[in-house]
Amino acid sequence: MLRLVRWLVVMLVGVLACGDDASVSDAGSDASVDAAVDAAVDATVDREDATRDAGEDDSLCEDLGLARRSFDEAASGTAFEEPAGDFTVQTTEGPWTLRDEWTGCESYVFVNWSATDYGRGLWSAVPDEVFTDGPRNVHYFFAAYAPDEATATMRAMEMQAVVEEGFDFHEVSETDRTFWRTHLHFVTQPLQDTVGSVGELVRASGIILNAFAITRQQRFDPVGSLFTIRSSGFVPSPSMARFAAPYYDYLEELDRTIEGDDSTVVSLLDQETTTSRRLDRTVSLPDNLASFDTLAFDIELTCLLTPDGCSEWDRIAHIFLCDDATCESSREIIRWITPYSRPGRRRWLVDATPLLGLLAPGEQTFRMVFGPDWEEATERTVSVSARLSQRGVGERSMGAELAFRGGEFNSAYNERDPFRFTPPAGTRRVEVVTLVSGHGQVEPFNCAEWCNHQHTFTANEGTPRRIDFEGEAGTTNGCAERAREGVPPGQWGNWSPLRAGWCPGLPVPYHRFDITDDIDLAAENELRYVGNVMGEEPQGGTISLSTYVVYWQ
């Protein structure tokens, strides 16, 4: 068997070296070919042993604490977000069939070579981080848009050899090598010739798909960009594929959480297909609103354009509570940042409990803003709902007052009066609740998107409470690593580094401070706010800020 595999690889490389394929120059010198052959042969033997030893790992889902989903035999789709049916690929270890390998808790990610700068770049980089830093409930398939089986096999052997070298370089344990040899697959047939749903997806696409996936929910997802940031700029990297599966885990678990939730749901938008950036909706809130102690907003958007065609571009999106039917004045209750041109589905369940006290029974109008009106229109399917529940938390927001807003982060930013307030009768606790995110890149510190700006709140003469982003702004892959929290991976822009208070494709969190000890519940109080950068005056950019004083009973 060993001699047969070696002979096959040598013959394939020899045939390709004599051909006119423009990619042949990538094959390298005779020495590099020999090394690749040796590594590929060794890997094939090791993988055969691993497959025999490991078998089907039925305990993976339980070991990782992941719920299973049954395989959908009826699934049939040829586009992203459609159900993915069965498929079979030929690999260096033999045929691999989705139905036979389905565990119900894994994702299936394809990284594909093509005769483009981007596709070649994926093969010139190492994928080591998929097995050193990535999740385990995922299968990766390395395939190629190839003219024939010989070329596809050569590409498969190239990447397989690189992976085996990575195992050695990182001193991966034998146990982990055995595991990953059953989860990293090297496809020996042209991608477009794949039998089943994967081949149908590829053949139906009008563009080259250098990455795509089948999620835990057995749906096609475009994966998106596999660019990483280097000193030289954006560089293709197969290791960026490691952020796809955590996002699919997030969606699966969020969907299950919401499906099993018994909240009272007030729909603001229900699967509306629109290109509008601004939508107002008047809804009727329940008469028994005072019986609920918890409020959340379920936000779901799907863009179905080409993998780099969605027009959102790290813009600020909001949900406002309108003070009147025409929404001439309003208060921000939810904020998120749109992802960079990332098609597919995104969903967040955002806790807004501190601002429950702003709502009242009967008709109220909400304004939903999905970015600026001037941005190119993109057709999206949108659902937004308010979810009210009684969780028995022992307290309820009875009211909130808007104390401060942000603005241009310049020398005049702190020229503002204190906010004066008297808690209403029945107040037992008082909080300062703030939505804050910095935007704009102004020298010298690239404020306010990338610098550590601070926001200090002081009630009366009490203890200052401060929001800061020390150690966060600019952290490499800081946003990518939050895919498990809802950041859509593979965005077509500089999405992966962490910003000052936000990530592209993620809700902006509330910052909450209990100031009860610093105030008089029966008298007027004063709240002061100052923004600065590393203790100095504001340095440019814009601060988007909504600060509330919240009263709890």
Side-chain angles (χ1 to χ4, degrees):
M1 179 64 181
L2 178 61
R3 289 182 179 179
L4 176 60
V5 172
R6 181 181 294 276
W7 175 85
L8 175 62
V9 176
V10 170
M11 290 298 294
L12 287 170
V13 173
V15 169
L16 289 169
C18 295
D20 295 327
D21 186 350
S23 65
V24 167
S25 61
D26 295 338
S29 64
D30 291 341
S32 64
V33 169
D34 289 342
V37 169
D38 290 339
V41 170
D42 292 343
T44 300
V45 175
D46 288 343
R47 285 166 183 273
E48 289 176 351
D49 292 341
T51 301
R52 285 193 294 269
D53 293 342
E56 184 177 351
D57 187 0
D58 288 330
S59 65
L60 176 68
C61 302
E62 286 70 27
D63 291 346
L64 297 177
L66 300 173
R68 293 177 182 265
R69 182 177 288 268
S70 298
F71 184 78
D72 182 2
E73 296 283 354
S76 177
T78 59
F80 294 124
E81 289 305 316
E82 291 183 358
D86 194 23
F87 71 86
T88 297
V89 289
Q90 302 299 323
T91 76
T92 54
E93 293 82 47
W96 191 99
T97 301
L98 180 63
R99 180 195 292 110
D100 296 342
E101 302 292 340
W102 183 264
T103 62
C105 72
E106 295 180 289
S107 303
Y108 307 87
V109 178
F110 279 74
V111 179
N112 308 314
W113 183 93
S114 65
T116 64
D117 289 344
Y118 179 54
R120 292 188 184 97
L122 289 174
W123 246 242
S124 66
V126 297
D128 294 9
E129 287 168 296
V130 301
F131 58 79
T132 60
D133 297 334
R136 295 174 76 86
N137 63 319
V138 55
H139 289 257
Y140 296 99
F141 297 83
F142 295 94
Y145 283 89
D148 50 49
E149 187 172 337
T151 307
T153 300
M154 185 191 74
R155 295 297 174 204
M157 292 293 193
E158 285 177 346
M159 185 58 76
Q160 185 172 348
V162 168
V163 167
E164 291 295 327
E165 290 172 3
F167 287 163
D168 292 337
F169 180 82
H170 295 284
E171 299 181 345
V172 176
S173 70
E174 285 302 320
T175 299
D176 283 345
R177 292 185 194 216
T178 297
F179 174 85
W180 283 112
R181 283 169 179 154
T182 62
H183 284 72
L184 298 169
H185 310 286
F186 306 92
V187 180
T188 58
Q189 65 184 132
L191 179 63
Q192 65 272 18
D193 294 343
T194 302
V195 175
S197 66
V198 164
E200 292 168 1
L201 173 76
V202 171
R203 291 189 292 272
S205 174
I207 62 173
I208 291 173
L209 303 178
N210 284 111
F212 60 84
I214 296 175
T215 71
R216 282 179 61 183
Q217 298 174 322
Q218 204 177 329
R219 305 186 77 85
F220 282 122
D221 180 79
V223 173
S225 165
L226 295 181
F227 280 118
T228 189
I229 304 298
R230 298 284 187 261
S231 58
S232 57
F234 289 96
V235 178
S237 171
S239 283
M240 292 299 286
R242 72 188 186 276
F243 298 115
Y247 182 63
Y248 306 146
D249 291 342
Y250 163 82
L251 287 176
E252 168 72 5
E253 292 173 17
L254 178 59
D255 286 351
R256 286 178 178 269
T257 295
I258 293 175
E259 288 168 7
D261 184 49
D262 60 357
S263 295
T264 296
V265 178
V266 180
S267 178
L268 280 62
L269 296 170
D270 186 11
Q271 292 293 305
E272 293 194 24
T273 299
T274 179
T275 60
S276 298
R277 298 286 179 184
R278 179 172 303 191
L279 296 171
D280 291 354
R281 292 292 184 271
T282 299
V283 298
S284 182
L285 298 179
D287 293 337
N288 65 335
L289 190 62
S291 67
F292 300 108
D293 61 14
T294 304
L295 169 66
F297 282 84
D298 179 10
I299 305 165
E300 183 174 8
L301 303 95
T302 303
C303 174
L304 294 178
L305 295 186
T306 58
D308 59 349
C310 288
S311 64
E312 286 90 355
W313 199 256
D314 77 323
R315 312 301 187 196
I316 304 174
H318 318 261
I319 297 176
F320 295 100
L321 176 64
C322 300
D323 295 327
D324 52 73
T326 60
C327 214
E328 292 197 17
S329 67
S330 61
R331 287 161 288 178
E332 181 187 34
I333 53 178
I334 297 292
R335 184 188 310 162
W336 72 94
I337 311 299
T338 64
Y340 289 94
S341 190
R342 202 321 187 157
R345 175 172 175 254
R346 46 196 179 270
R347 189 180 195 181
W348 310 285
L349 184 64
V350 186
D351 182 21
T353 298
L355 300 187
L356 174 61
L358 289 176
L359 306 185
E363 288 193 347
Q364 288 202 271
T365 300
F366 293 86
R367 170 166 289 176
M368 289 150 284
V369 178
F370 305 106
D373 292 335
W374 49 261
E375 196 164 48
E376 179 186 354
T378 293
E379 187 172 272
R380 300 174 312 282
T381 301
V382 185
S383 294
V384 179
S385 63
R387 305 181 68 87
L388 297 157
S389 58
Q390 172 56 257
R391 302 300 186 202
V393 297
E395 62 178 1
R396 182 184 187 277
S397 170
M398 62 184 291
E401 295 186 74
L402 181 61
F404 304 110
R405 285 192 167 104
E408 293 300 311
F409 204 41
N410 53 30
S411 60
Y413 184 80
N414 291 319
E415 295 176 1
R416 64 178 78 231
D417 295 329
F419 178 71
R420 293 179 174 82
F421 63 95
T422 301
T427 299
R428 296 176 55 190
R429 191 168 71 84
V430 180
E431 274 191 326
V432 172
V433 176
T434 299
L435 288 168
V436 59
S437 52
H439 304 271
Q441 302 176 34
V442 178
E443 296 295 342
F445 301 114
N446 277 337
C447 277
E449 182 172 348
W450 298 103
C451 70
N452 176 26
H453 43 85
Q454 298 96 30
H455 307 271
T456 304
F457 302 91
T458 307
N460 300 324
E461 301 303 320
T463 303
R465 270 79 170 186
R466 190 174 77 175
I467 301 168
D468 69 48
F469 306 102
E470 184 174 359
E472 296 184 15
T475 303
T476 302
N477 288 332
C479 286
E481 290 165 358
R482 298 181 70 180
R484 193 66 171 78
E485 301 172 33
V487 174
Q491 299 174 38
W492 290 91
N494 186 23
W495 70 281
S496 57
L498 184 60
R499 271 70 167 178
W502 58 275
C503 286
L506 196 68
V508 175
Y510 289 138
H511 297 268
R512 300 171 59 176
F513 300 113
D514 188 328
I515 60 170
T516 310
D517 290 343
D518 296 335
I519 67 168
D520 187 336
L521 294 175
E524 184 179 74
N525 300 270
E526 183 177 273
L527 180 67
R528 298 185 303 280
Y529 162 52
V530 174
N532 55 43
V533 177
M534 296 178 287
E536 304 295 333
E537 289 298 309
Q539 300 288 336
T542 302
I543 299 296
S544 182
L545 177 137
S546 294
T547 294
Y548 293 88
V549 175
V550 177
Y551 309 114
W552 296 85
Q553 63 180 6

